Structure formats: structure tokens, C-alpha cells
Amino acid sequence: MKFVPYPYQQYCIDSIIYNRAVGLFLDMGLGKTVITLSAIHDLRYNRWEVQKPLIVAPKTVAEATWTKEAAKWDHLKMMRVIPVLGTQQQRLRALATPADAYVINRENVPWLVEHFKNAWPFDMVVLDESSSFKNSQSKRFKALKLVRSRIRRIVELTGTPSSNGLEDLWAQIYLLDEGARLGRTISAYRQMYFAPGKRNRTTVFSYEPMEGSFDRIKQAISDICISMKAEDYLTLPDVMTNDVPVKLDAKAQKAYTELETELLLQVDENTITASSAGVLTGKLLQLCNGAIYDEDRNAVPVHDCKINAFMELVEQLNGQHALVFYNFQHDRDRLLEALAPTGLRVRVYSQAKDEQDWNNGEVDILLAHPASCGYGLNLQRGGHHAVWFGLTWSLEQYEQANKRLHRQGQEHPVVIHHLIAQGGMDEVVIEALQSKGDMQGALMDALRVRINKVRS
């Protein structure tokens, strides 16, 4: 696919190229990944200014998103983006592989710094979701601080740098400028911009921004940070899709491959019907989501790969409400279990009051089956993010469900997020949905291809 950057994207690319430290505080859907990879490509091949870029990202993003994005665009297809994941031996093997950029999950940053010590080789570092480095007492922040002087270029990407307040900014800005703008310590930062809040005689429990602090901080960091809201800068249509690739771990991939082989070997491609095809692919879609019904209709959990990706997506939304579509009842039950400890206001749509509460902003996550809320509901006032945890073969259900948010009265660009298990039936379904073709024909064709594959 040919990449023609929008003006705001070109501005961000140039900002990365011409500044050694820059924070791109961009809303989800504005293309942070392609912006950054385009800048890395230019710096590495046209200007020879970077040799070994490192990208630090949430685990599920590190597993697939950056490599998929590089493969998506014509000008980036030759880039070798290597994930540094897995066991220590696998990570070391990945680091020894020649690449144009390396991607590691944020939890392994302390290990990486300890491994290289004074021989730190990465001259450019990209922090994808830099808000995960907001805690100055965290191991990942302290580790990166140790090697900051050896990093020639640094880029921070996030949509909400200060979701919990202005205190969150200090650690992130320190990694950009080593304390030049907001002070070299968190104590100095607090002294300049905050006043003690709750306290006893000797201990301060919280700090409150002093009057005018927001404007002063904004002014102090304006030369190295770019903040953009989707509704202000988007020149795209008002509906965007965000495909989130989900990499199955080895155990899950083995289970999926074995089930697919077993099921496909039982059918004859010449006599298979739409009904039997639907049952067969339904089982594979269940396994993509992480569980499957046994013969007694009991849900058997298999993996949490998609649940983990979903929870990271919720974290990246930073409090923005989401309408989440599930396909099977065990999807709903597992989502409720995963969301229970978060403190978010979660609701399963079942009645008109749920619609009213959602539109009044009283629900953070609304779980819904596309068949139950695909028609007639007006949900546009409660949020602008829809997440497809489990995909459907019904193009009508899919389009009607998305229209619950994308309708008159919606004040923000709508973002449709698809969680797609790599190498599984999810990829076939999303391709068929996006092509808006004959869904039944696509289903039958996909099965025939896979039957021939397992029998060859």
C-alpha cells in the first residue's frame, strides 16, 4: 500500500527527523506507528543518522503491531523489524540478528540494560505508550535513566501523557531532556509547580498543581512535545479501523493447529455445506478468542492471548469509554472476569436502561453481542471506540453494530478496533468483512483452501 502522509503526519515525521528528542502526544488512530517507522527509515537510509533503533512497547504491540505495520506500506516493506521477546535465549538470538529496528516489551527493559551495561548499542529509542514510564520509582524508568546519556535520539508516543494528573509528566519529560525543562528530580518539579495536598506533620501524601501550573508546564515543554487531538487534525473519514494483531503463544498456536487439522480432515470439500462450514469455523473462531465449548457445552479455557491484548487496549484508551462486541458467551464471561479487578464500570447490554446509562457517561465498558444491539440503538453519546473482541461472519451484523456509534449526534471520530489472532480464522473473517463481498462464498473458499493445505 502506498503511504501518502497527511499534513499533520508529515509534520510529525519531520519533527522526529529534525529533533533529537520529541514527544508525540497523539490520539489513537492518528498513525503513530507509520509516522515513526517512516522517520526511522529516512534517518537510517537517507541521512545515515541512526544505526540501531530500539522500540519499547506493550507486549502484545511488540509481538505483532510494529512488524505488521512495516509490512503494510510499500516504502517500509524492506525494513527488518525484529521482536526481542520470549525466553532469554530467544531474546539474545533476536538481538544477534541484523535488523533495521528492534522491538522489546517494556517489562524487559531492565534486563536489556543489565545485559549490555556500558556497551549499550541503541542510538535511537522509541517509547511506544511512554505513559508506562511515568513512575520515576519503577525499574523500567530507572534502567532507562542509566543509559539515557548513551541514547542520541529518543521519541515518546502516547495519547494521554498525564491521564492521572500533571505529576505523570515529569518522568516522561526527564527521559526526553534529562531534566532540562522540568527539573532534574521529581522533588524539584513538585517544588516548582505543586503545593502539598493531603499531609500530616511530616509526610505529604499528595500534591496539588498551583494556579497557572498547567500553562507554565505546557510552555516549558512546547518545543519538544507535539499534542494532537483526533478531532482537530484528522483529515481521514470519520470512521477509522485499528487492526490489533494478536500473536498466539506456542501452546495456543499448537492447540489451534491441532484442532484445525482435526476438524478439516473430517470434512469433504466437495460435499461441505454452508451450515457445516459455519459450525466448523465457529469452533476455530472460539479458539482464536481463547476458549472453546466441549460436547457438554462447558467452556474450556485454552489461552489468554486475546484477553491480554484486550486489556492492554483498554489501558491505552486511558479512561475513554468503549463498546465491546463479543461473539460467544464464554467470551463475555472471560471479559467480565478480566475487567473485574480494574474498578471500571462494566455493563453487559440487556435492556433500555443500559443504553440510557451508557449515553449518560455512567458506563466505561459496555459489553454487547452484535445480534442484541445491532439495530435501533443510539449509543453515539456514550463513546466513540468500538472493540471487536470476537468477529462475526455476518456482514450485516457487523455494519449495523458499528452504526450504533457512527450516527448523527456523534461528536468524535469513531475508531473501530479489531483484535485479530494471527494465522487463524480471524484473518479470513476480517478480510471478508473489509472487502464487503460474498461472506458465504468467502467462508467456503477459505475452508477449501485450508482443507487442501492440511491434506497436502
Side-chain angles (χ1 to χ4, degrees), residues 33 65 98 102 115 130 148 156 192 213 241 245 259 264 273 285 299 303 310 312 324 327 329 340 342 402 432:
T33 308
T65 300
Y102 298 85
H115 174 71
S130 64
R148 177 60 185 88
E156 293 185 0
M192 285 189 287
S213 288
T241 59
L259 178 66
L264 294 179
T273 65
L285 287 173
H303 66 82
F310 170 77
E312 287 190 353
V324 179
N327 200 354
Q329 289 186 13
T342 64
N402 289 335

Side-chain angles (χ1 to χ4, degrees), residues 38 77 118 203 212 233 248 288 310:
S38 298
K77 280 185 177 178
N118 290 333
T203 306
Y233 288 89
L248 300 181
C288 284
F310 170 77

Side-chain angles (χ1 to χ4, degrees), residues 87-144:
T87 65
Q88 178 170 311
Q89 185 177 6
Q90 289 171 326
R91 297 196 298 269
L92 291 174
R93 189 181 303 121
L95 289 169
T97 304
D100 298 305
Y102 298 85
V103 190
I104 194 168
N105 58 307
R106 55 201 181 190
E107 292 80 7
N108 275 327
V109 169
W111 169 83
L112 189 68
V113 172
E114 175 63 23
H115 174 71
F116 283 110
K117 296 181 179 177
N118 290 333
W120 178 261
F122 303 103
D123 53 356
M124 180 177 183
V125 172
V126 176
L127 301 182
D128 190 359
E129 289 304 322
S130 64
S131 56
S132 62
F133 284 79
K134 66 188 178 185
N135 182 0
S136 60
Q137 299 303 310
S138 66
K139 291 181 179 179
R140 65 184 70 159
F141 171 82
K142 291 180 178 179
L144 208 55

Side-chain angles (χ1 to χ4, degrees), residues 146-167:
L146 285 175
V147 295
R148 177 60 185 88
S149 61
R150 299 175 182 273
I151 300 170
R152 295 181 61 246
R153 288 179 172 271
I154 186 165
V155 179
E156 293 185 0
L157 309 173
T158 185
T160 50
S162 55
S163 58
N164 295 321
L166 290 174
E167 279 193 90

Side-chain angles (χ1 to χ4, degrees), residues 256 259 263-264 272 274-293 297 327-331 390-393 425-426 429 443 447:
Y256 183 91
L259 178 66
L263 292 174
L264 294 179
I272 189 170
S275 176
S276 59
V279 172
L280 191 155
T281 58
K283 291 182 178 180
L284 296 176
L285 287 173
Q286 288 182 57
L287 199 53
C288 284
N289 295 352
I292 192 167
Y293 288 120
R297 289 293 294 175
N327 200 354
F328 305 99
Q329 289 186 13
H330 58 63
D331 294 344
L391 297 168
T392 174
W393 275 110
M425 191 57 62
D426 275 359
V429 177
L443 165 62
L447 278 183

